[in-house]
Amino acid sequence: MSQAVATTLLSFVADELDAAVAPPIAAAARAVVNRLHGLAVLFYGSVLRTGDLDGVLDFYVLTPPPRGWGMGAWATRTLWPDVSFHEVEVGGRIVRAKVASMPLDTFCRAAEGRTIDTTVWTRFAQPAALVWTADPTVGARVVRAVAYAAATAARFAAVLGPESGRPADFWLALFRQTYSAELRVEAPGRERQIIAFDPGRFDTLLPLAWQGAGIGHQRRGELYAPLVPERDMRATLAAWWWRQRLGKWLNVARLVKAAFTFDGAARYGLWKLQRHTGIDLPLTPWRERHPILAAPGVMLRVWHRRAS
């Protein structure tokens, strides 16, 4: 990130992350971060946009480095994030959260684009709130990492987007490409929904993030043209080539890991089932301990109930 202009980007990100959240969300975040012994918790996703507390909150909990070198620590270091589902009672109601957790050091590296991963900088180029931090030093590290995420995303958008276009054109091109690289199944137009939530925010962010990445630009009315030197263009396209080809395999490995390590997978699956079909199945000890083995039986029960 260019030091001379990073101050403006950092200020933009700090103000956005400092946005207040509803008290039930703050309470749920504090409960989750205490359970996971985290250093900070970021709130993002659809409920941030809609405020619908009947949905599932999306949290990123940033943690200290894992201890030891056992299988669990190895998985945390290499196939992050760890995923868990939490139900928290707040003011007499149950607030649900799906949580991704990973070491703070790893989050910073991923945000800077120093790993093959695309998920961190793609997600945190989008709106987020920093709900809680252990201390101001941690908070400053998180703000800087999120600013790097925006700069990294803008750097790739400059070469994956059009030669000239509106800011939304660059963001849309970026999100389409990263969805493909991440093996994510998104409904058509999902990237437009993200931009439509606050188009002015994305319009403002793009030139700031380009500056933060050390990329100049020309502007004619609503159209922007990034000024990327040929050498940098080739290097960024080469970096994208590797991410595009290895990203799917990385995310397949993460899905396999999550299938066996997703804490609360059965509770999350049964809640989603009830929410989307109206079929309420009990959480038995067997289903909670063996969610993968229990899945065929659950689907058979659903089929029978629908048939009847």
Side-chain angles (χ1 to χ4, degrees):
M1 193 158 49
S2 172
Q3 192 62 41
V5 294
T7 302
T8 307
L9 177 59
L10 282 168
S11 178
F12 178 93
V13 169
D15 288 345
E16 184 170 79
L17 291 179
D18 194 42
V21 300
I25 295 172
R30 188 60 183 267
V32 167
V33 82
N34 285 341
R35 291 176 185 178
L36 298 177
H37 308 291
L39 299 173
V41 56
L42 286 155
F43 173 46
Y44 70 105
S46 61
V47 179
L48 175 68
R49 297 189 291 270
T50 66
D52 178 14
L53 293 179
D54 290 331
V56 175
L57 311 183
D58 289 300
F59 290 141
Y60 245 81
V61 173
L62 306 177
T63 63
R67 295 181 180 180
W69 291 95
M71 184 60 70
W74 176 85
T76 296
R77 286 188 175 95
T78 58
L79 290 177
W80 38 266
D82 296 331
V83 183
S84 55
F85 177 67
H86 300 260
E87 294 178 322
V88 181
E89 185 174 350
V90 179
R93 70 177 299 168
I94 297 297
V95 177
R96 296 172 176 86
K98 186 180 179 185
V99 180
S101 60
M102 63 188 293
L104 174 57
D105 291 345
T106 306
F107 180 81
C108 292
R109 290 198 306 275
E112 292 174 22
R114 292 195 284 135
T115 72
I116 205 71
D117 173 77
T118 61
T119 60
V120 168
W121 49 261
T122 301
R123 280 148 184 74
F124 289 100
Q126 301 172 38
L130 181 55
V131 182
W132 180 87
T133 63
D135 57 56
T137 300
V138 170
R141 289 190 67 192
V142 175
V143 170
R144 187 169 182 81
V146 174
Y148 264 109
T152 303
R155 176 165 58 88
F156 282 106
V159 301
L160 298 175
E163 290 186 8
S164 175
R166 297 169 302 162
D169 297 328
F170 291 93
W171 292 117
L172 291 170
L174 176 73
F175 292 147
R176 290 189 192 108
Q177 291 287 341
T178 53
Y179 287 163
S180 175
E182 294 170 14
L183 198 64
R184 293 180 65 189
V185 180
E186 295 287 349
R190 172 61 174 161
E191 66 279 4
R192 293 190 178 277
Q193 293 176 7
I194 293 173
I195 301 296
F197 169 68
D198 190 353
R201 180 260 182 194
F202 286 97
D203 288 351
T204 301
L205 177 60
L206 185 66
L208 296 180
W210 274 343
Q211 290 175 341
I215 297 173
H217 68 275
Q218 293 178 337
R219 180 179 180 183
R220 293 183 179 178
E222 295 182 351
L223 301 182
Y224 289 75
L227 303 175
V228 184
E230 184 64 28
R231 179 178 177 180
D232 293 346
M233 176 79 75
R234 289 196 303 268
T236 304
L237 285 173
W240 179 250
W241 187 89
W242 284 107
R243 283 159 176 77
Q244 190 176 43
R245 279 146 185 79
L246 298 180
K248 291 182 175 65
W249 294 104
L250 174 62
N251 283 283
V252 166
R254 285 173 171 164
L255 288 171
V256 172
K257 174 202 168 190
F260 294 95
T261 64
F262 187 154
D263 185 12
R267 280 179 289 119
Y268 178 65
L270 292 175
W271 176 81
K272 290 277 284 187
L273 180 69
Q274 193 280 330
R275 182 174 171 85
H276 291 289
T277 70
I279 297 174
D280 190 5
L281 297 181
L283 177 63
T284 64
W286 165 258
R287 288 172 179 160
E288 187 158 31
R289 288 195 305 269
H290 308 287
I292 296 175
L293 296 176
V298 169
M299 291 300 100
L300 185 61
R301 293 280 296 275
V302 170
W303 182 80
H304 279 305
R305 290 206 182 182
R306 283 183 163 177
S308 63

